[in-house]
Amino acid sequence: MDFDISRIITLSLFAATLRMTTPILFATLGGIFSSHTGIFHVGLEGLLDIAAFFAVVGSVKTGSPWGGLLYAIVACLVASLVFAFVHLELKANEIIVGLALNIFAGGLTNFLLVAMLDSTGFYQSPLIKGFSQVDVPVLKDIPVMNELLSGHFPLVYFSFLFVLIVYILLYRTPFGFHLRAVGEKTAAAEAVGINPKKIRYIGLMICGTLCGLGGTFLSLSYLNMFSEGISAGRGWVALAAINFGEMKPLRSLVACLIFGFADALALRLQQFGLPSQVVLMLPYASTLIVLIASAISREAKKNAAAKQTKIGGAAEAGA
Amino acid sequence: MKNIVMKTPFKQRLKMILAETVTQIANYAIILILSLLVGAMVIYLTGKDPIAAYQALWKGAFGNWYKVTDTLDRSTVLIFSGLAAAIAFRTSIFNLGLEGQLYIGAFAAALVGFTVKGLPTGLHVPLCLLAGALAGGIWSLPPIIFKLKWKVPVMVPTLMLNYIGILFTSYLIAFPFKDPTAPMAGSPVLEATARLPKLLRGHTLNIGFPLALAAVFLVYWFMFRTKLGYELRLVGYNPSFAASTGLPVKRSSFLAMMISGMLVGLGGSIVIMGFFGRFMGGFSVGYGWDGMMISLLAQNHPLGVLPASLFYAALANGALTMQSTTGVPQTVVVMVKGTIMFFVTVQIFSSAIRRRFQKWTSTSAE
């Protein structure tokens, strides 16, 4: 086993990073919307599962990956509507509903796999029409850029574009302002005439749509197949990214890129003969490390701020 | 609080207890019937006969004496993981790492089971169980330490440790402890002295089940009859209130998490030592996740975990027979479980029934 670092860290590794980031990024952006309305959405994982499954069904039924995407988004919207109804109207605890959604999504896709596609565990067929890679006009002629940025699947470009859209929506539009107001001070938002329930419904629906995109990418790009537990914890990794990014899209993107890199590196190292069981721990371990690091830095900042006010207060008392 | 209860007339208190009991029974009965109806509808939609399917399901779960003991055996691990979830959830700790703790505990028990030789059963079995419980407990600790030290929310770390733990055990049986003769990826076979003694000749049921029963009552006693358990429940009920009244929130959280991990580790050990006889990759069919659902179904009450686990075990075993005899996919029970979870979480029936009783319980004199 020759361990040449230049053979591991290559341009194609960074290109793989971008595509491994995509599903996490979609789920993260979705989660940012629900988090901003004050709902800690544990069900992202389940939504990705549901989307990945219905994308395959839609692709087979319509013969086009875009049809698959449509199916996935509709399925996620329905699931999100149920989530929203149970949490907002029937006042059930959001975490418990989210957990139930995850477990139910796993079981439901399993059941429908048998009932609709007549297979157990996974489904792979030439009938599944996946997306095809797109070459970006100008970039594809620039040496390094073509390998890194060109020839990705359309949803990869969408996901990074959505970071910008989400940023603008959250921080540059009245809707974004209302959304953040509901999450930060519900009573105050209500007092100025914002309907928190309506905003939360919208937030959850946007979250569902974005998870629909993320789940579709999982099953209709590269490997055109659905397998049990296809989301492999990415919904939870997204929650870690939101935690790291403190609900800000650009900061969360940084975390997503770290996790995407860990995913890509794990895939790459497997080809070098390392035991897959150990290498596959990498994305999960990196998630843990990022979570802890961001928590420590947050605590340190808080302590520093507390010290500052203490000193300030003491100086004032002295004067 | 106690004073208020003492002042209420005896007759009214009796009425209140009676009303609550009837409410709970009616609530679960309605939920059960509704969810079975949903299941029947799904079976009908797949083009099969729901009545025949349910008959097969019943036969598979309780059809004869062997099936009954099989169902009891299947419920053992569910009871342990249900209790593990209940104790954590009651303390408001969302330990989502039960699955990983189960695997690590099970592997530790297996390790002691196939490496230690020459002990009598009376020593070897307790030693394996102890190893399993300790390993499960230790594996549950990092997330709670992260939480108490740096305020990292427990959910994501426990979940990440699921993946890491399961991958770790699958590495162990693929490389250092690989048994090339195993039919699937598995560890060497446990020593005969590490196998759990059977309760009945020819049945799968072993001493794991009575241990699970004992655990139910121990956890109940701990949670509701000891000072430590009382603190745990107060912390779970309102952490900030508990902290401001000087309760040891950190100690309670730590304790609840560790006991949770130990219980589910014990459950995993029992499956390996009782049923499989060697550690197998992927041996748990979501026992940890089922435990959480069971705990929620039991409203996080240790005594409720017992019937909920039996119900889950019956569904699982019955579904296997249903699939083999009527061709209805066993995953249909997922729809039943999902409907149950839905109505348990939204609590619409119990509050509706309680409202009907309100007038009756408030009139005390007549």
Side-chain angles (χ1 to χ4, degrees):
Chain A
M1 192 165 50
D2 181 24
F3 235 80
D4 188 357
I5 198 96
S6 67
R7 279 178 57 216
I8 298 172
I9 310 287
T10 57
L11 268 183
S12 69
L13 177 69
F14 288 105
T17 299
L18 293 185
R19 76 175 150 94
M20 296 313 279
T21 303
T22 296
I24 303 172
L25 187 54
F26 273 126
T28 302
L29 293 173
I32 283 176
F33 274 98
S34 56
S35 301
H36 267 300
T37 65
I39 296 170
F40 186 62
H41 201 324
V42 185
L44 299 176
E45 177 86 358
L47 288 177
L48 287 179
D49 258 335
I50 290 175
F53 177 78
F54 279 97
V56 164
V57 173
S59 170
V60 170
K61 288 250 154 77
T62 63
S64 144
W66 299 100
L69 179 63
L70 189 71
Y71 269 58
I73 290 177
V74 170
C76 275
L77 284 177
V78 172
S80 298
L81 201 62
V82 174
F83 180 100
F85 179 76
V86 174
H87 173 53
L88 298 173
E89 309 290 342
L90 303 176
K91 308 277 184 270
N93 179 311
E94 72 210 63
I95 291 175
I96 291 172
V97 184
L99 282 180
L101 174 62
N102 285 340
I103 296 174
F104 185 62
L108 181 76
T109 50
N110 253 359
F111 167 67
L112 292 178
L113 204 55
V114 181
M116 293 173 81
L117 301 172
D118 200 25
S119 43
T120 44
F122 70 98
Y123 179 72
Q124 195 169 19
S125 145
L127 291 173
I128 305 175
K129 295 283 176 283
F131 289 100
S132 41
Q133 280 117 319
V134 281
D135 287 324
V136 184
V138 185
L139 284 175
K140 72 173 196 288
D141 300 322
I142 308 172
V144 176
M145 289 300 186
N146 61 358
E147 217 176 313
L148 195 60
L149 298 176
S150 186
H152 284 292
F153 289 92
L155 289 181
V156 175
Y157 299 110
F158 280 6
S159 70
F160 287 90
L161 192 66
F162 265 110
V163 177
L164 211 65
I165 295 174
V166 167
Y167 177 81
I168 293 169
L169 203 59
L170 276 178
Y171 295 100
R172 295 283 182 273
T173 65
F175 167 71
F177 180 72
H178 291 177
L179 196 86
R180 288 182 293 128
V182 166
E184 264 167 44
K185 283 252 176 335
T186 313
E190 219 168 350
V192 296
I194 301 170
N195 181 353
K197 201 186 257 182
K198 196 176 117 197
I199 295 279
R200 290 200 168 112
Y201 264 108
I202 297 172
L204 285 172
M205 291 305 125
I206 296 177
C207 175
T209 311
L210 288 167
C211 286
L213 285 156
T216 305
F217 181 80
L218 285 177
S219 60
L220 292 185
S221 302
Y222 292 93
L223 298 170
N224 293 326
M225 67 176 292
F226 175 83
S227 62
E228 232 176 88
I230 191 169
S231 45
R234 287 188 179 84
W236 297 95
V237 170
L239 288 179
I242 297 167
N243 180 292
F244 172 90
E246 291 170 351
M247 303 194 286
K248 297 185 182 84
L250 295 176
R251 272 194 67 165
S252 304
L253 170 65
V254 175
C256 290
L257 284 169
I258 296 174
F259 301 146
F261 179 75
D263 261 341
L265 191 64
L267 282 178
R268 173 57 62 93
L269 288 177
Q270 259 175 290
Q271 297 163 2
F272 281 81
L274 288 175
S276 65
Q277 296 92 341
V278 175
V279 166
L280 285 175
M281 289 180 194
L282 208 66
Y284 306 114
S286 72
T287 308
L288 260 183
I289 292 167
V290 166
L291 255 186
I292 295 167
S294 67
I296 291 177
S297 80
R298 206 171 300 147
E299 283 288 287
K301 231 184 269 171
K302 212 192 286 167
N303 286 346
K307 221 181 212 169
Q308 203 100 49
T309 52
K310 219 184 206 170
I311 293 168
E316 239 165 67
Chain B
M1 187 71 194
K2 206 166 186 181
N3 266 330
I4 302 168
V5 177
M6 293 305 277
K7 270 177 195 163
T8 350
F10 174 72
K11 207 169 166 189
Q12 193 179 352
R13 270 175 62 200
L14 201 70
K15 274 185 177 180
M16 280 163 76
I17 294 170
L18 199 65
E20 190 51 34
T21 315
V22 173
T23 305
Q24 289 299 344
I25 292 173
N27 178 34
Y28 281 108
I30 295 172
I31 291 175
L32 185 66
I33 292 167
L34 263 180
S35 51
L36 287 177
L37 281 177
V38 169
M41 216 171 68
V42 175
I43 295 169
Y44 181 76
L45 286 178
T46 56
K48 300 277 169 30
D49 177 12
I51 294 172
Y54 278 148
Q55 271 169 349
L57 191 121
W58 176 262
K59 267 192 197 139
F62 304 112
N64 59 43
W65 188 224
Y66 283 91
K67 300 277 187 196
V68 173
T69 57
D70 249 9
T71 300
L72 293 183
D73 185 49
R74 165 86 74 154
S75 75
T76 306
V77 58
L78 295 175
I79 293 172
F80 276 105
S81 88
L83 289 174
I87 208 164
F89 289 178
R90 273 259 167 184
T91 321
S92 272
I93 296 169
F94 282 97
N95 177 10
L96 307 186
L98 294 176
E99 197 75 12
Q101 292 147 21
L102 181 100
Y103 270 85
I104 294 287
F107 186 82
L111 186 64
V112 175
F114 64 74
T115 48
V116 179
K117 292 184 167 70
L119 284 181
T121 298
L123 269 177
H124 205 176
V125 164
L127 200 65
C128 290
L129 291 176
L130 186 70
L134 279 180
I138 290 169
W139 196 254
S140 75
L141 290 184
I144 196 72
I145 293 173
F146 299 156
K147 183 193 164 78
L148 297 179
K149 227 171 146 66
W150 300 303
K151 302 204 172 87
V152 184
V154 160
M155 270 191 279
V156 179
T158 50
L159 201 100
M160 292 299 127
L161 283 179
N162 274 344
Y163 288 102
I164 294 174
I166 294 169
L167 285 168
F168 181 55
T169 55
S170 67
Y171 165 76
L172 290 175
I173 53 169
F175 294 97
F177 299 106
K178 185 183 166 77
D179 180 3
T181 63
M184 282 177 283
S187 76
V189 177
L190 268 60
E191 293 288 304
T193 49
R195 298 298 302 271
L196 294 177
K198 294 252 156 70
L199 284 183
L200 297 161
R201 193 185 301 262
H203 293 251
T204 47
L205 194 66
N206 54 53
I207 60 160
F209 184 69
L211 285 179
L213 288 182
V216 168
F217 290 104
L218 262 174
V219 171
Y220 170 75
W221 173 80
F222 172 73
M223 290 296 279
F224 291 91
R225 292 285 180 268
T226 66
K227 184 167 160 279
L228 275 176
Y230 181 63
E231 286 173 0
L232 249 61
R233 283 186 294 130
L234 274 185
V235 167
Y237 191 66
N238 191 340
S240 48
F241 171 78
S244 60
T245 49
L247 281 173
V249 176
K250 286 193 171 184
R251 189 181 72 186
S252 294
S253 313
F254 194 85
L255 201 63
M257 189 67 157
M258 198 171 73
I259 297 174
S260 179
M262 287 176 84
L263 282 168
V264 77
L266 212 49
S269 311
I270 285 172
V271 182
I272 295 301
M273 295 162 65
F275 189 78
F276 289 107
R278 61 156 38 116
F279 183 88
M280 310 266 283
F283 78 92
S284 162
V285 283
Y287 293 130
W289 294 103
D290 276 346
M292 288 176 216
M293 292 292 110
I294 285 165
S295 176
L296 294 177
L297 181 56
Q299 297 173 29
N300 300 333
H301 196 292
L303 294 183
V305 164
L306 182 60
S309 303
L310 288 172
F311 175 67
Y312 258 60
L315 272 187
N317 273 5
L320 287 175
T321 309
M322 180 179 75
Q323 179 167 311
S324 61
T325 59
T326 65
V328 175
Q330 55 159 321
T331 40
V332 160
V333 297
V334 169
M335 306 306 288
V336 178
K337 286 183 192 171
T339 319
I340 292 175
M341 276 323 301
F342 178 82
F343 288 116
V344 169
T345 40
V346 301
Q347 298 258 330
I348 41 176
F349 300 124
S350 51
S351 49
I353 303 165
R354 213 167 278 138
R355 231 174 289 135
R356 294 197 161 266
F357 276 120
Q358 226 155 36
K359 208 173 161 197
W360 183 68
T361 46
S362 58
T363 52
S364 55
E366 292 85 40

